[in-house]
Amino acid sequence: MDTLIDRRELAFQLYDMLNVEQLCTRSAFQDHDRETFESVLDVAEKIARDYLVDHNRLVDEQEPVFDGEKVTMRPEVKDAFDAIAGAGFIAGRELYENGGMQLPESVMSACMAVMSAANVSTVAYPFLTTAAARVIKHFASDDLKQQFLPPMFKGRFTGTMALTEPQAGSSLADIVTKATPSDDGSYRIKGHKVYISAGDHELSDNIIHLVLAKIEGAPAGVKGISLFLVPKFLLDENGEPAERNDVALAGLFHKLGYRGTTSTALNFGEQGNCVGYLIGEPHQGLKYMFQMMNEARIMVGMGATSLGYRGYQHSLEYARTREQGRSPSNSHPDSKPLSIIEHVDVKRMLLAQKAYTEGGLALGLYGCSLVDDINSASSSKREEAQLLLDLLTPILKAWPSEFCLKANDLAIQVLGGAGYTREYPVEQCWRDNRLNPIHEGTNGIQSIDLLGRKVWMQSGQGLKLLHREMTLTMENSPEVFNDWVTQLQSTLAAITEIMMTVGRQLRENPDKALANSHAFLTLMGHTVVAWQWLKQAGIAQAKLAGDCSEQEQAFYRGKVQAAHYFFAWELPTVQRDIAVMKAADQTVFDMQSNWF
């Protein structure tokens, strides 16, 4: 069965929702057209089917092993990594002169979604490499770029980001990894990092770690953090891996899901000779790393959507073919059992999955389209896109990682007892997806970032722009959706009122004001996704008014019905969040730790 992202769905999102073809009028993408975009998606799908799908379960059952000297894993992972690198996907976004294909972010992310749906663990290795290489490209010296970027873009070297420490967790202000200047201009790094994805393996000739550390005498807290490039192997005069650097694998973590991606504990400088190279200016490391982290947060949301979508497809296929029970109006034992897709509660669960996953896909690809505008639009549009992306990044990460995980939970429920067994794939989708609300900044951190910082940037200009874009959609929606428009307008008005209250609270007592940040994140997330569903329904309704085949009619009617579900069943749930925020409810804040 097809467990990937449906190409009809991708075509709707890319060409009907985002009109990515208009990007080809911009100089950066003028060599492309819809045909080339589709060709690249064809390649991504072929790699997914030929190299990724078949070993998804194998890497879950036979996770990487460390024997004290090296890490071994299923050989299919190396084959898939080489196929992805060989097809140019690591450097797909880059300029031709850098070995890239100059593809839009939205198209590249659609390709990533296809491959992630097939095997999220294996695709982590090339995609982390892309993110690390882009940090080096933007902030490192020309010498470091020349040494490390070409082999990274080709897949000969891979990349990681090494942020987390045992005592600090997400509190990067408390990291203690040290960097000591050396006479040759490099630094000696000493410290311990944990939960480093892809931190050791045998897939590439070298592994390039981007390490946060503090130079001796640096300011306290986040203002004293610097960023270093630390290779597993030092390079010789020809740029080839040579002497082993003082970076040691302390061990592998054994995870609930995502098992095919190594999660490592790394020791830097145990022998006192871990060579690192400063990226950019001293004490600016967190700013540099946030580029990678923010890109990664968008990709976490897209990955969560892909996993939710895969589970949805599995449960949909099962519901179509599994015969069990009869309708309440025809319960005679001699009557033929129904396919369970005909039972209303199964329809409810499938509709919820459709609303979450296709809503998440629309949300994520919209975020990617903002990246395209930042990279290639006129200066005024770039500024607006940057403001919108800054505002939406916490939502792009957190909403899909919460609600597409719920989709996986519903997929298990659709399969019933079978869904709870490892003989069926939906339980692995849930286990793999359970990481996404945690890594790259927990959803709790995203909520504080959104309410405490992002909505107030440039005097709330990002929120004003979002309101403008939503209003434009509402003004152009078909009259048949007027009730939904009214519902969305009412929610936006509530958010405006809440902002006035929270602004005052933040000035008086930020701890109290941020105690309900999760409610605000859910409110904003559901509002933005409702907007995306209104857009999808409007396009589908217009298509239905034209000449379309029976199959196309079913596709568009499904879109309208999923939007109906979201406005009837999902958007009303934010009334609780609105009430909590308006009342400045202190239930959580007032709870004392010794009362638990």
Side-chain angles (χ1 to χ4, degrees), residues 220-255:
V222 295
K223 294 182 178 180
I225 295 175
S226 297
L227 179 62
F228 297 88
L229 186 157
V230 182
K232 179 178 179 179
F233 294 97
L234 302 175
L235 304 186
D236 63 19
E237 62 276 9
N238 297 316
E240 295 297 319
E243 179 186 354
R244 176 69 185 259
N245 201 3
D246 188 7
V247 181
L249 175 62
L252 299 178
F253 293 100
H254 303 287
K255 298 174 290 180

Side-chain angles (χ1 to χ4, degrees), residues 510-523:
D511 292 341
K512 284 187 176 182
L514 294 176
N516 297 325
S517 61
H518 183 269
F520 187 75
L521 177 65
T522 304
L523 167 60

Side-chain angles (χ1 to χ4, degrees), residues 311-329:
Y312 165 51
Q313 292 297 306
H314 276 299
S315 65
L316 180 60
E317 178 68 16
Y318 184 88
R320 291 190 194 281
T321 57
R322 170 67 171 172
E323 293 184 348
Q324 180 179 314
R326 296 161 182 84
S327 67
S329 62

Side-chain angles (χ1 to χ4, degrees), residues 294-441:
N294 284 333
E295 288 183 8
R297 285 168 178 172
I298 298 171
M299 291 305 102
V300 165
M302 287 295 291
T305 298
S306 297
L307 286 165
Y309 193 96
R310 179 174 188 174
Y312 165 51
Q313 292 297 306
H314 276 299
S315 65
L316 180 60
E317 178 68 16
Y318 184 88
R320 291 190 194 281
T321 57
R322 170 67 171 172
E323 293 184 348
Q324 180 179 314
R326 296 161 182 84
S327 67
S329 62
N330 184 22
S331 59
H332 194 280
D334 291 337
S335 61
K336 188 178 186 298
L338 294 173
S339 296
I340 65 170
I341 199 170
E342 300 299 334
H343 294 303
V344 288
D345 197 54
V346 173
K347 288 183 181 181
R348 174 190 64 82
M349 292 187 284
L350 291 171
L351 255 178
Q353 291 181 71
K354 183 178 177 67
Y356 294 152
T357 58
E358 293 177 13
L361 189 60
L363 173 68
L365 289 175
Y366 173 72
C368 295
S369 75
L370 293 175
V371 176
D372 286 328
D373 285 342
I374 293 167
N375 292 336
S376 63
S378 62
S379 58
S380 60
K381 193 167 185 178
R382 289 184 188 195
E383 292 173 5
E384 290 187 350
Q386 188 66 67
L387 280 169
L388 280 169
L389 186 64
D390 288 342
L391 170 68
L392 291 174
T393 294
I395 298 168
L396 292 167
K397 189 271 182 186
W399 193 92
S401 66
E402 178 174 348
F403 288 94
C404 291
L405 178 65
K406 287 187 177 182
N408 289 136
D409 187 77
L410 288 167
I412 293 173
Q413 191 71 16
V414 168
L415 269 70
Y420 197 64
T421 69
R422 296 193 67 186
E423 281 67 36
Y424 289 82
V426 288
E427 60 85 30
Q428 184 189 342
C429 293
W430 184 91
R431 286 188 291 105
D432 286 344
N433 217 352
R434 189 58 187 85
L435 176 63
N436 288 314
I438 300 172
H439 67 159
E440 307 306 339

Side-chain angles (χ1 to χ4, degrees), residues 36 73 111 140 154 160 173 238 283 334 368 389 419 473 551:
T36 63
M73 61 180 69
C111 293
K154 291 177 182 176
T160 77
N238 297 316
H283 319 318
D334 291 337
C368 295
L389 186 64
T473 300
Q551 186 177 15

Side-chain angles (χ1 to χ4, degrees), residues 199-219:
D200 209 325
H201 52 75
E202 300 294 317
L203 299 176
S204 59
D205 296 338
N206 207 349
I207 302 175
I208 311 306
H209 305 288
L210 300 186
V211 181
L212 291 182
K214 293 183 176 180
I215 300 171
E216 292 178 322

Side-chain angles (χ1 to χ4, degrees), residues 23 91-92 126 128 158 187 205 223-224 234 246 248 262 273 282 293 324 344 356 367 406 435 437 477 520 556 574 576:
L23 293 174
L128 279 168
T158 53
Y187 287 76
D205 296 338
K223 294 182 178 180
L234 302 175
D246 188 7
T262 56
N273 195 32
M293 290 171 67
Q324 180 179 314
V344 288
Y356 294 152
K406 287 187 177 182
L435 176 63
S477 291
F520 187 75
Y556 294 128
V574 303
R576 178 210 63 182

